[in-house]
Every structure is written in structure tokens, then in C-alpha cells.
Amino acid sequence: MSLRKLIYLVILGLFAAGCTANPAVLNTHSMVAEREASLFRLLFYMGIGVFVLVAAILLTSIIRDHRRHGDNTEPKQVQGNTRLEIIWTAIPILLVLFIFIITVQTMTAVAAPPPAASDLKVTVIGHRWWWEFDYPDLGIKTANDLHIPAGVNVQIKLTSADVIHSFWVPNLSGKTDVIPGQNNTMWLKADQAGTYVGQCAEFCGLQHANMRLNVIAQSTADFDAWAAAQKQLPAAPQTALEQQGQKLVTQGICSGCHAIDGTNMKGAIGPNLTHLYSRTVFAGGVLPLTDQNLALWLKNPNDVKPGNLMANVRTSDQQIEAIIAYLKTLK
Ligand code: CUA
């Protein structure tokens, strides 16, 4: 590829990057993210200022004071100049003091607001490699899609079922570690409805990069409707195929790891499947939830996401069809 082509491609990429909702930290959709991005921008421009100043002084002395032909005299020396020493000690101290003050100001501004009755409480549990979301006050358990009402403070408790993860939704907030045996806390508030992509931000093993989530911020009415639907038991399977699938799932090895409310399945190792088909993604947020993707996954989960804990259920194509027919009733 020629250099010119490469430059065109980079410019095109930069323009295209502005077109879609992207999970970049500077693409802010909450007060917390905006305050953090503002602090970053200020420090970045201060850094550029210092760099330009130092580079200018350096270049000036290189150009002005370089040794000329036949000239053996030394340029004017500044060693032991008290005034200069004081200036270049004082300026960095003042800069660091300024950075300290604006950092503390930002930390105070983004600190969790005191708990209020209107808050939504969510417990986030990190698993290798997917996210569990429990709503203790609503009695809802879901995975990978975190539904929240926009404009409402969400108080989050974070813990882990296995190793250390880190919960990060760049458009909305900074990172918070998710540590086994410890309850860390953080809070979120999305300014507007929208879907914001999150990602585990602490190396947690083979599929760390494939431990994603979606924060789905909705209007309060939409969120209430979603929560009401999640609290219902799914309708009983109707067709013969759905019933065959239900038998395979509830009487097979699935029940060792998964739970489905209203059945004998009480497993807590894998995601709760009660309303699986109300989700947009599965497998730790990596695959859009479609029949084809689910069939691929059930054929052998480790082909799709090597290292994940789901067993290969070794079912025939016909059985997979029946299982999916049943899972589709779990809306
Ligand atoms: Cu979980 Cu990285």
C-alpha cells in the first residue's frame, strides 16, 4: 500500500469513527464521564503547553548556541543563576498544586450521591466470562444486558464469583474493580436513553477481552414495563418441539449450572435463563442472541469461546432445534 493510500485510509477511518455510537471515554453520556473527560482534556492541553515550551527553549539553544566554525568561546552559562533556579522550581510546583486541586474537585463532583429512595439498586457479579446483574429490590436476575432507567441514580454493588474483574462502561463512568469476597460500590446515571457498551477492564483469563456488556438505558415507563415482564414466569411451552426441548433442558445437564424460574432448575454457575430471549446478546455479550448463534453455541461452546465453562452438551441437530424452540419461549 502506498503512503498516500494509507493516509487516505486513516482520514476516512477518523471520519467514520464519528458516525456510530462508540464506547470511547471522550464520547460522554453522563455527568461523571463528562467531568472525567474534562479533567483529562485540561491535563492533556497543559501537557502540550509544557512540551511546546520546553521544546522551544531546547531548539532555541541548539540553533542559537551551536558551535560555529573556528569559534572556541563558550556561550553564556546559566549555572548557579538563583533567579532561574527559583523560576523552574516554582513553576512545576504550582502546576502540580493546580492539578491536585482540580483533581480533588473532580473527585468530589463524581462521588456517589447519598442513597435515596428513588435510586435503583443493582448487584453486579463478575463471572469468567460474563456479567450477572441482580436487582435485589425487584427480584430480577439477568445477564450481560444491564437495563436501567435514564436520569435515575443507579447504586451498584460489585462482587465476583471467581477472579478479579473490572466493571467499565466508558460512556458513563470510570472503572471499578470487581473482587471476590469484597463488595465494592459505584454509581451510574445515564443522561439519555441509549445503549452503552461496557467491557471488563482487568485481565481475568483467556476470554477477558470477550467479557462485554450492554447498559440499556430506557425511559422510566419502558424500564418499568421491562421489569414487570421479567417478574412474570414465562408461558408454558405449547408445541411438541418446545415440550421436547423443555424436557432436554430441565432434565439434562443444563440444570447443574443454569436456573429457570418455575422449573426444577436452580443452578447458579451459568446465567439465569428465565427470560433468555428478552436479551440482545449472550456468551458474555460477544454474540447477538439469534437462533443461528445459539445453535452454533450449543453445538460446542468451546469452539465459539475457547476456555469458557459451559460443557459440550453433545446433542444432535434435531435436539438443538428442540432446545432452541423451548428457549425461545423464555421471553
Ligand atoms: Cu473479567 Cu477481564
Side-chain angles (χ1 to χ4, degrees), residues 166-240:
S166 179
F167 183 79
W168 188 31
V169 187
N171 295 148
L172 301 180
S173 184
K175 305 165 185 172
T176 309
D177 273 359
V178 179
I179 301 170
Q182 191 173 319
N183 288 322
N184 278 357
T185 56
M186 68 171 297
W187 75 292
L188 283 182
K189 183 169 93 174
D191 289 340
Q192 302 106 17
T195 299
Y196 308 106
V197 177
Q199 164 71 44
C200 179
E202 177 75 39
F203 183 71
C204 55
L206 193 58
Q207 294 293 344
H208 154 68
N210 287 330
M211 187 169 167
R212 298 182 214 156
L213 66 129
N214 291 323
V215 173
I216 301 174
Q218 299 167 293
S219 69
T220 308
D222 287 352
F223 175 80
D224 289 345
W226 171 83
Q230 294 287 307
K231 283 191 268 190
Q232 305 270 317
L233 284 183
Q238 298 299 317
T239 68

Side-chain angles (χ1 to χ4, degrees), residues 31-49:
M31 180 276 288
V32 171
E34 182 46 41
R35 289 296 299 243
E36 288 170 351
S38 303
L39 179 63
F40 168 80
R41 277 191 291 264
L42 184 59
L43 294 181
F44 180 71
Y45 293 132
M46 281 173 67
I48 287 184

Side-chain angles (χ1 to χ4, degrees), residues 14-305:
L14 286 173
F15 277 110
C19 298
T20 52
N22 69 67
V25 283
L26 297 180
N27 179 20
T28 60
H29 289 273
S30 76
M31 180 276 288
V32 171
E34 182 46 41
R35 289 296 299 243
E36 288 170 351
S38 303
L39 179 63
F40 168 80
R41 277 191 291 264
L42 184 59
L43 294 181
F44 180 71
Y45 293 132
M46 281 173 67
I48 287 184
V50 169
F51 171 77
V52 169
L53 187 71
V54 171
I57 294 172
L58 188 66
L59 283 173
T60 309
S61 40
I62 289 171
I63 294 163
R64 193 189 60 191
D65 299 331
H66 76 273
R67 188 171 169 187
R68 286 166 179 81
H69 234 16
D71 178 7
N72 282 332
T73 56
E74 276 190 347
K76 190 167 163 255
Q77 299 298 297
V78 293
Q79 195 187 8
N81 185 321
T82 313
R83 190 189 290 170
L84 264 184
E85 298 271 0
I86 290 172
I87 289 173
W88 68 44
T89 307
I91 289 177
I93 289 175
L94 289 175
L95 283 178
V96 171
L97 198 66
F98 176 68
I99 292 171
F100 174 73
I101 291 167
I102 55 171
T103 303
V104 170
Q105 269 178 355
T106 305
M107 286 167 68
T108 316
V110 305
S118 57
D119 292 350
L120 175 71
K121 289 199 199 76
V122 181
T123 303
V124 172
I125 305 165
H127 294 260
R128 281 185 301 173
W129 289 277
W130 59 280
W131 295 98
E132 178 178 347
F133 304 122
D134 295 357
Y135 299 71
D137 295 343
L138 301 175
I140 295 170
K141 280 179 197 286
T142 185
N144 304 317
D145 279 348
L146 173 61
H147 287 252
I148 60 169
V152 169
N153 290 348
V154 184
Q155 301 280 1
I156 298 178
K157 201 162 89 179
L158 300 144
T159 191
S160 168
D162 37 54
V163 299
I164 300 176
H165 306 272
S166 179
F167 183 79
W168 188 31
V169 187
N171 295 148
L172 301 180
S173 184
K175 305 165 185 172
T176 309
D177 273 359
V178 179
I179 301 170
Q182 191 173 319
N183 288 322
N184 278 357
T185 56
M186 68 171 297
W187 75 292
L188 283 182
K189 183 169 93 174
D191 289 340
Q192 302 106 17
T195 299
Y196 308 106
V197 177
Q199 164 71 44
C200 179
E202 177 75 39
F203 183 71
C204 55
L206 193 58
Q207 294 293 344
H208 154 68
N210 287 330
M211 187 169 167
R212 298 182 214 156
L213 66 129
N214 291 323
V215 173
I216 301 174
Q218 299 167 293
S219 69
T220 308
D222 287 352
F223 175 80
D224 289 345
W226 171 83
Q230 294 287 307
K231 283 191 268 190
Q232 305 270 317
L233 284 183
Q238 298 299 317
T239 68
L241 193 65
E242 289 167 7
Q243 284 161 357
Q244 185 203 350
Q246 183 185 37
K247 223 175 199 174
L248 285 166
V249 171
T250 56
Q251 294 174 13
I253 57 171
C254 310
S255 61
C257 296
H258 295 285
I260 298 176
D261 297 351
T263 73
N264 62 317
M265 290 174 62
K266 303 271 182 275
I269 294 169
N272 183 306
L273 302 178
T274 309
H275 293 282
L276 175 69
Y277 259 77
S278 70
R279 298 171 196 163
T280 61
V281 289
F282 72 108
V286 179
L287 295 174
L289 185 60
T290 63
D291 301 357
Q292 292 89 334
N293 282 342
L294 203 53
L296 202 67
W297 176 258
L298 289 169
K299 197 85 195 145
N300 184 5
N302 266 272
D303 275 352
V304 181
K305 199 170 171 182

